[in-house]
Amino acid sequence: GAVVSQHPSWVICKSGTSVKIECRSLDFQATTMFWYRQFPKQSLMLMATSNEGSKATYEQGVEKDKFLINHASLTLSTLTVTSAHPEDSSFYICSARSGGRDEQFFGPGTRLTVL
Amino acid sequence: QKEVEQDPGPLSVPEGAIVSLNCTYSNSAFQYFMWYRQYSRKGPELLMYTYSSGNKEDGRFTAQVDKSSKYISLFIRDSQPSDSATYLCAMSVRAAGNKLTFGGGTRVLVKP
């Protein structure tokens, strides 16, 4: 149990375009989802926390207008990187937890490359 | 000083040896302690989850928590080459929405 999927697993886009990444909990209802980014050889950096049906809470320094997060259902959250630039190239990972548990389960990650 | 300190390694051990990993932390409010394994270009995989001081065993993995010393450990018995990965400790406080605070990760290499 506790499987989280992400789509796509990798994406290449041109500078200035927008990219949407989906995160789904496959076998449980995720009341809270988290979005992270990870640079090579570094640990995960939390970008934002989203609770189903509520606006996301962004960490300090993360531009909410650039990284749009939607958590419209208990099994799906999306991250849209708007007007992507090469410095947005990174590994984006989501995690999810259900209301009755404290652990977070991570998706496989999405590698974004902006040309 | 970081909230959670973890030796980056790399830690190289021969196959079959015990891998010993640890993290120290400064925030006494942390309630939940997790160990994740992350292979290159993959998402972290939850290995162990504990919330009290003491030991917890699951197969080849043993997690230890010492809240008085603010120190947690993960032991991997009978290590295999497939255990070669980066191991991340993570901690959280329920009142803070269970946001995870990660250590920097320890890279482990198990040599056949």
Side-chain angles (χ1 to χ4, degrees):
Chain A
V3 180
V4 177
S5 70
Q6 276 184 247
H7 177 81
S9 55
W10 59 271
V11 57
I12 301 172
C13 69
K14 292 183 179 179
S15 186
T17 60
S18 294
V19 174
K20 179 184 283 189
I21 302 170
E22 291 186 350
C23 176
R24 293 181 186 272
S25 57
L26 299 185
D27 53 0
F28 66 102
Q29 294 187 324
T31 51
T32 307
M33 285 186 167
F34 304 84
W35 286 95
Y36 298 82
R37 66 189 296 183
Q38 186 178 33
F39 292 105
K41 298 190 187 300
Q42 294 187 25
S43 193
L44 286 76
M45 184 189 80
L46 180 65
M47 299 175 66
T49 303
S50 73
N51 293 296
E52 186 263 339
S54 302
K55 287 185 177 180
T57 302
Y58 291 82
E59 295 299 300
Q60 194 172 8
V62 178
E63 299 176 61
K64 61 180 180 181
D65 294 329
K66 181 168 185 61
F67 299 99
L68 302 178
I69 292 171
N70 183 280
H71 190 170
S73 79
L74 284 172
T75 60
L76 173 65
S77 177
T78 60
L79 167 68
T80 302
V81 183
T82 62
S83 186
H85 290 284
E87 58 265 29
D88 298 323
S89 299
S90 189
F91 193 50
Y92 291 87
I93 314 174
C94 71
S95 71
R97 61 176 283 268
S98 68
R101 303 180 72 165
D102 298 295
E103 314 99 297
Q104 289 183 30
F105 299 94
F106 284 82
T110 297
R111 184 160 303 282
L112 170 63
T113 302
V114 184
L115 302 177
Chain B
Q1 185 187 4
K2 295 179 182 178
E3 271 194 296
V4 181
E5 297 278 0
Q6 186 176 6
D7 189 322
L11 178 63
S12 182
V13 300
E15 183 176 355
I18 295 175
V19 176
S20 176
L21 303 164
N22 57 74
C23 290
T24 58
Y25 61 96
S26 56
N27 186 354
S28 58
F30 285 133
Q31 297 170 286
Y32 306 102
F33 305 90
M34 285 141 277
W35 284 96
Y36 289 89
R37 176 174 63 193
Q38 186 177 25
Y39 293 111
S40 181
R41 297 175 181 260
K42 300 290 185 183
E45 172 194 1
L46 181 63
L47 295 175
M48 298 290 281
Y49 161 73
T50 58
Y51 55 86
S52 59
S53 284
N55 293 0
K56 180 177 180 179
E57 192 172 316
D58 185 359
R60 295 186 297 117
F61 301 97
T62 300
Q64 285 185 351
V65 174
D66 183 344
K67 289 189 177 181
S68 62
S69 302
K70 300 191 185 69
Y71 187 91
I72 68 170
S73 300
L74 178 71
F75 301 96
I76 308 173
R77 290 182 298 281
D78 189 24
S79 59
Q80 305 295 311
S82 58
D83 294 324
S84 299
T86 296
Y87 290 80
L88 298 157
C89 64
M91 309 175 188
S92 68
V93 179
R94 180 176 288 184
N98 288 97
K99 291 196 296 185
L100 293 179
T101 301
F102 282 94
T106 299
R107 201 165 130 244
V108 172
L109 179 62
V110 181
K111 295 184 176 179

